[in-house]
């Protein structure tokens, strides 16, 4: 059952049971107190007559409610709906999290989605209970709370890192949302803070979380010079709107995910957090996914072996397309070698707290010089360079807010891009949960091991029963394939690219 389809009584039973699985998926506003809570709030369950449920905290803000100081609803993972939904609301929420409203305003968001500003505002208000400005404001408040509680950044730096245009706007918003000024919100944190001047914060995650699989995937695909991965950490450099950033995510002794980062400008921190959350698929609903997949006897052993499976998204859409095209029909190890050479020859060297690193080359650079560096069949090299040129001149634009059908059609129109590459990019860039790659060699090997049809047509037909979670079926099949077993253990193997 989707959250949007839940009745009032079903939501009320969830809050009466204090069910943590619903945290971040809706909020409970209590008219008698004027506050809104997460579903698992430990406070006494309010009377049904006093309760209103909202799909977003922004909708609760707009209705005049403030966040509960006890359960801190803004500290939960984000709603998994924005990963599942490919409609305008879902696409808008992904772009808002990526900072589009902060950088381009509501007109920029509307233009990306193909709507007028007025129509988009009406649509989001009707669907989510708040317009794009209010949704962006709620996202800034969420980021500000995280930085106030988890870092020692000066309060003024927190304001601008969270995307606020002024200290006054920051103080007013935090006060309205949390009923506390920023300094008091920071004073409420428990335990010692990180070292001064360092971005070091916790990334909330829904359990179960397959950390072994995610770190193994990222380690197996890490491009030399750009990325570094091991059994419990991953780091890389990335271009953000305001400049270069370096980050490292690791799992601490208590099982929490923590992120350390260095940025050219703190204004990019909110964008970085959103992209890292997508990279680790932290807003997924693992209970719903495991329940749906585990309902089928053939998949039950796979789900039991890997509960909470995740599917890493892309940090950079343009980079993901080039990497996917390079990785077509060759092993992961071979693709890493090719991409490592591309990064070494055409990337931009940068210094990080952990030593020198290299940024992935821009589309403009690959278009201009890729033919001199890339090796392999001439037609494939021309296709990669041609795709980079389309990205560079704006003929092709990729983002997490793309319409999936339109994005796929645009990719298939380019020479050298077939269904596997277009669908793989859709899976990784959009985080689309319902993508099947029936021709993928490793996935078909996993299907054989799982006892389900392993031919492309048979797998396609069989997979219809697990929609809309076919991307997560792919993850389980990859992990079940003999050639990818070492992804979950050191060292990284030689295997066919998924």
């Amino acid at each position: 059952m989707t959250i949007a389809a839940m009745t009032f009584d079903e939501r009320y039973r969830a809050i009466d049971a204090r069910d943590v699985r619903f945290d971040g998926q809706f909020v409970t506003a209590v008219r008698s107190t004027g506050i809104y809570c997460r579903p698992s709030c430990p406070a006494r369950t309010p009377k049904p007559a006093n309760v209103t449920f909202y799909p977003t905290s922004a909708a609760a803000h707009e209705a005049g409610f403030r966040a509960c100081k006890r359960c801190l609803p803004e500290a939960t993972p984000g709603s998994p709906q924005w990963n599942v939904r490919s409609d305008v609301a879902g696409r808008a929420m992904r772009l808002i999290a990526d900072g589009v409203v902060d950088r381009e305003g509501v007109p920029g968001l509307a233009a990306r989605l193909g709507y007028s500003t007025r129509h988009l505002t009406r649509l989001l208000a009707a669907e989510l209970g708040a317009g794009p400005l209010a949704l962006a404001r709620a996202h800034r408040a969420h980021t500000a709370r995280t930085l106030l509680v988890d870092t020692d950044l000066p309060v003024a730096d927190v304001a601008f890192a969270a995307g606020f245009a002024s200290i006054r706007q920051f103080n007013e918003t935090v006060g309205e949302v949390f009923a506390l000024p920023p300094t008091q919100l920071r004073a409420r944190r428990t335990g010692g803070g990180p070292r001064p001047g360092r971005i070091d914060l916790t990334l909330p995650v829904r359990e179960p979380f397959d950390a072994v699989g995610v770190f193994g995937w990222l380690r197996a695909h890490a491009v030399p010079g750009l990325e570094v991965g091991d059994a419990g950490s991953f780091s890389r450099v990335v271009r953000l709107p305001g400049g270069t950033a370096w980050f490292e995510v690791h799992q601490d002794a208590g099982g929490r995910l923590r992120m350390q980062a260095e940025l050219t400008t703190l204004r990019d921190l909110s964008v970085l957090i959103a992209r890292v959350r997508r990279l680790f698929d932290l807003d997924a609903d693992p209970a719903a996914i495991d329940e749906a997949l585990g309902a089928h006897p053939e998949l039950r052993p796979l789900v039991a072996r890997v509960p909470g499976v995740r599917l890493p998204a892309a940090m950079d859409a343009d980079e993901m397309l080039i990497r996917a095209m390079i990785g077509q029909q060759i092993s992961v190890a071979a693709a890493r070698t090719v991409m490592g050479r591309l990064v070494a020859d055409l990337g931009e060297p940068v210094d990080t707290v952990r030593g020198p690193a290299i940024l992935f080359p821009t589309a403009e650079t690959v278009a201009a010089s890729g033919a001199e560096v890339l090796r392999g069949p001439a037609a494939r090299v021309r296709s990669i360079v041609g795709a980079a040129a389309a990205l560079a001149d704006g003929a092709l634009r990729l983002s997490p807010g793309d319409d999936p059908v339109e994005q796929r059609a645009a990719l298939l129109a380019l020479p050298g891009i077939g269904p596997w590459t277009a669908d793989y990019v859709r899976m990784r860039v959009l985080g689309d949960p319902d993508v099947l790659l029936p021709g993928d060699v490793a996935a078909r090997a996993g299907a054989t091991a799982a006892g389900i049809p392993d031919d492309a047509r048979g797998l396609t037909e069989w997979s219809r029963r697990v929609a809309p979670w076919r991307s997560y079926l792919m993850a389980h099949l990859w992990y079940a394939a003999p050639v990818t077993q070492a992804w979950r253990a050191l060292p990284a193997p030689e295997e066919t690219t998924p």
Side-chain angles (χ1 to χ4, degrees):
M1 176 183 297
T2 65
I3 295 302
M6 290 181 72
T7 65
F8 180 95
D9 289 343
E10 288 167 338
R11 287 188 172 96
Y12 190 82
R13 286 196 294 271
I15 68 169
D16 194 38
R18 294 168 176 78
D19 194 329
V20 298
R21 293 176 299 172
F22 295 95
D23 285 356
Q25 304 198 39
F26 64 86
V27 296
T28 306
V30 184
R31 289 187 290 275
S32 57
T33 61
I35 66 171
Y36 68 90
C37 304
R38 64 169 78 186
S40 67
C41 183
R44 185 175 62 182
T45 304
K47 296 178 180 179
N50 291 331
V51 167
T52 301
F53 295 113
Y54 290 98
T56 63
S57 59
H61 300 163
E62 289 295 281
F65 295 92
R66 66 182 186 278
C68 175
K69 298 177 184 177
R70 186 172 181 182
C71 71
L72 295 175
E74 306 295 337
T76 64
S79 172
Q81 290 189 63
W82 317 136
N83 293 340
V84 174
R85 293 172 59 164
S86 60
D87 60 2
V88 175
R91 293 163 57 202
M93 289 299 286
R94 292 195 292 271
L95 291 174
I96 288 170
D98 203 49
V100 168
V101 171
D102 294 334
R103 295 192 300 274
E104 304 173 21
V106 176
L109 176 67
R112 284 173 176 253
L113 296 171
Y115 289 84
S116 69
T117 298
R118 179 176 296 180
H119 185 57
L120 178 64
T121 300
R122 284 200 305 265
L123 189 153
L124 294 181
E127 185 76 16
L128 304 178
L133 281 177
L135 292 166
R137 180 172 177 260
H139 182 73
R140 294 184 202 115
H142 188 153
T143 302
R145 192 214 67 83
T146 298
L147 299 180
L148 287 168
V149 172
D150 271 3
T151 78
D152 281 334
L153 284 174
V155 171
D157 287 348
V158 168
F160 295 114
F164 290 96
S166 67
I167 300 296
R168 179 179 179 181
Q169 184 188 71
F170 165 68
N171 287 332
E172 289 177 351
T173 298
V174 171
E176 290 174 11
V177 172
F178 301 107
L180 287 172
T183 52
Q184 289 187 29
L185 188 60
R186 166 162 281 175
R188 291 171 62 89
R189 67 183 180 182
T190 59
R195 289 181 292 175
R198 189 171 194 172
I199 303 298
D200 187 337
L201 50 83
T202 301
L203 298 172
V205 58
R206 285 190 181 87
E207 298 290 349
F209 175 66
D210 178 30
V212 172
V214 173
F215 284 117
W217 171 299
L218 294 173
R219 181 186 72 244
H221 293 78
V223 176
L226 172 71
E227 300 164 320
V228 178
D230 60 31
S233 70
F234 175 78
S235 64
R236 66 162 288 168
V237 287
V238 64
R239 285 185 186 84
L240 296 177
T244 302
W246 168 89
F247 71 88
E248 178 185 82
V249 175
H250 70 276
Q251 195 168 33
D252 68 15
R256 298 175 304 174
L257 281 187
R258 297 199 64 85
M259 183 183 81
Q260 297 176 349
E262 287 186 339
L263 302 97
T264 302
T265 171
L266 286 173
R267 287 188 178 274
D268 282 338
L269 185 54
S270 179
V271 175
L272 177 63
I273 293 171
R275 293 193 185 182
V276 170
R277 292 194 63 80
R278 286 175 52 77
L279 176 67
F280 283 81
D281 200 13
L282 299 183
D283 294 326
D285 185 351
I289 296 167
D290 287 358
E291 181 180 1
L293 298 181
H296 303 281
E298 301 92 335
L299 302 181
R300 201 168 294 142
L302 305 186
V303 175
R305 190 180 310 132
V306 186
V309 73
R310 294 304 206 272
L311 192 70
M315 284 297 297
D316 182 276
D318 292 2
E319 174 190 312
M320 186 70 254
L321 174 58
I322 294 171
R323 290 176 69 152
M325 295 183 72
I326 289 174
Q328 293 175 125
Q329 300 178 343
I330 61 175
S331 72
V332 167
R336 291 178 67 214
T337 299
V338 174
M339 287 184 280
R341 183 165 57 242
L342 182 71
V343 167
D345 290 351
L346 301 183
E348 178 185 344
V350 293
D351 291 323
T352 76
V353 68
R354 296 294 170 82
I358 310 173
L359 287 163
F360 197 88
T362 63
E364 291 82 357
T365 301
V366 175
S369 305
E372 303 168 10
V373 176
L374 293 168
R375 299 290 182 267
R380 181 182 299 170
V381 172
R382 286 196 300 270
S383 297
I384 295 170
V385 172
L391 292 168
D393 66 17
L396 175 67
R397 293 186 65 181
L398 299 175
S399 82
D402 291 346
D403 176 274
V405 175
E406 293 177 1
Q407 183 195 85
R408 189 176 193 272
L411 290 171
L412 289 175
L414 294 177
I417 295 183
W420 185 94
T421 303
D423 289 334
Y424 185 69
V425 170
R426 179 161 56 99
M427 178 190 289
R428 299 292 306 280
V429 171
L430 301 185
D432 190 325
D434 199 31
V435 175
L436 183 77
L437 305 174
D440 187 272
V441 175
R444 290 171 66 179
T448 302
I452 63 177
D454 58 5
D455 62 291
R457 183 174 180 178
L459 180 57
T460 299
E461 290 298 319
W462 190 94
S463 72
R464 299 187 196 281
R465 68 194 69 189
V466 301
W469 306 117
R470 282 176 281 193
S471 296
Y472 294 93
L473 168 65
M474 287 295 301
H476 278 294
L477 296 182
W478 281 329
Y479 289 139
V483 293
T484 60
Q485 292 298 304
W487 285 11
R488 306 183 68 84
L490 289 171
E494 299 277 339
E495 69 282 285
T496 302
T497 300

